[in-house]
Structure formats: C-alpha cells, structure tokens
Amino acid sequence: FRRVLFRSTALAGGGALTIGSASSSSLGKRVVVNAQGHTLYALSPETATHLLCKSNECLKFWPPLTVSSTAITLKDGAGVHGHLAILRRRNGLLQVTLRGMPLYRFSRDHAKGQANGEGIESFGGTWHAVVATTRKPSAPSAPAPASTPMTPLPGY
C-alpha cells in the first residue's frame, strides 16, 4: 500500500477567502486566481455533483482549492463574479467552487501568472484556466429568440 500525499491550497481557521483575478499574458485574458496569485483551473465536464478528479494521482497534479471549515466566508474579488460555494469531497476535504465548478491549482505552475495547465487532457476531461468575468451579467432587455432544434454532431 503506497500512500500519496498532496498539498492542497487550504485556508486555516475562520475568516474569509477572497478569490481574485489577474491578467494572463500567455492566455490573453483575465483568469481567476487564489490568494497567492496562482491560476485556478476547472476540469470540463466536471461539476460539483459529478467529480472526475478523485484519484490520488489526479489530486497530486491538481490540488483542490480547499478551506478548513464551512465557517469560512467566501468573497469574490475584483473581476470575479458568480456563486462561490463549498463542496464536501468523499475524503472530507472542503473544496471551493465557482459557478458550480470545483477549483484546482496546477502543481506545475510555480509563479504568479503561469497557466501551464491550460488545455491539458487528463482524468476524464480537459483542464482550463477559469476565466474571470469583467462585469456582472445583466438581465436581457428583450426576450431571447426561440431556439431551433440542435442537430447532433457526428460521433455523439
């Protein structure tokens, strides 16, 4: 039996955790970052109710953004909009989600602004830096046009 340890991005005690944003020159857009300024990622098509990154190997490369308690207040910093929440993983870790997407760091990003995990296909999906929205979405001023039925793509 081999035990694999991984370092999660955890916040101890009470208090607050602010999720911020920063410009990524390599991606040409604003991305969501943790308190240390490191890019945060989501695994598509993972959701808070359907986790794909569950193995020790996945968690070693993609440490989840975690908090130590549900008493932590989650705040969206400048440029970040959307519902922040906490999900309890099977292993007991409390992982932060944004817009229903569990948030992770990439273990090979060592400096602020790096986005080395962008586009990596592994663990059942594709990893993408989470894009920060520049403004809160507003309600549409006119009703949306009626949608037309979608034609399935070949192979689906």
Side-chain angles (χ1 to χ4, degrees):
F1 176 78
R2 187 178 125 201
R3 184 177 178 155
V4 177
L5 298 177
F6 62 94
R7 194 177 97 197
S8 65
T9 307
L11 180 69
L17 171 67
T18 301
I19 305 299
S21 70
S23 291
S24 170
S25 58
S26 62
L27 300 177
K29 53 189 165 187
R30 287 191 76 74
V31 296
V32 176
V33 297
N34 67 7
Q36 293 75 35
H38 291 107
T39 303
L40 294 173
Y41 297 87
L43 177 60
S44 177
E46 185 178 68
T47 66
T49 57
H50 180 70
L51 294 177
L52 297 174
C53 184
K54 299 184 281 188
S55 70
N56 284 338
E57 184 179 8
C58 184
L59 297 172
K60 179 177 82 172
F61 286 103
W62 300 95
L65 177 65
T66 61
V67 293
S68 60
S69 164
T70 56
I72 300 287
T73 301
L74 301 174
K75 296 182 178 183
D76 52 352
V80 178
H81 301 289
H83 181 71
L84 286 165
I86 297 171
L87 75 87
R88 183 178 302 274
R89 297 179 65 98
R90 281 192 174 169
N91 61 5
L93 286 177
L94 300 172
Q95 184 171 7
V96 178
T97 66
L98 174 61
R99 299 177 220 127
M101 299 178 295
L103 299 176
Y104 299 86
R105 260 191 352 87
F106 182 48
S107 62
R108 294 188 179 158
D109 284 350
H110 300 293
K112 293 179 182 181
Q114 290 185 329
N116 297 317
E118 177 66 24
I120 292 177
E121 293 183 9
S122 64
F123 303 105
T126 304
W127 294 92
H128 295 287
V130 177
V131 176
T133 57
T134 56
R135 60 187 168 83
K136 291 189 179 190
S138 58
S141 56
S147 62
T148 57
M150 290 182 56
T151 305
L153 297 173
Y156 288 93

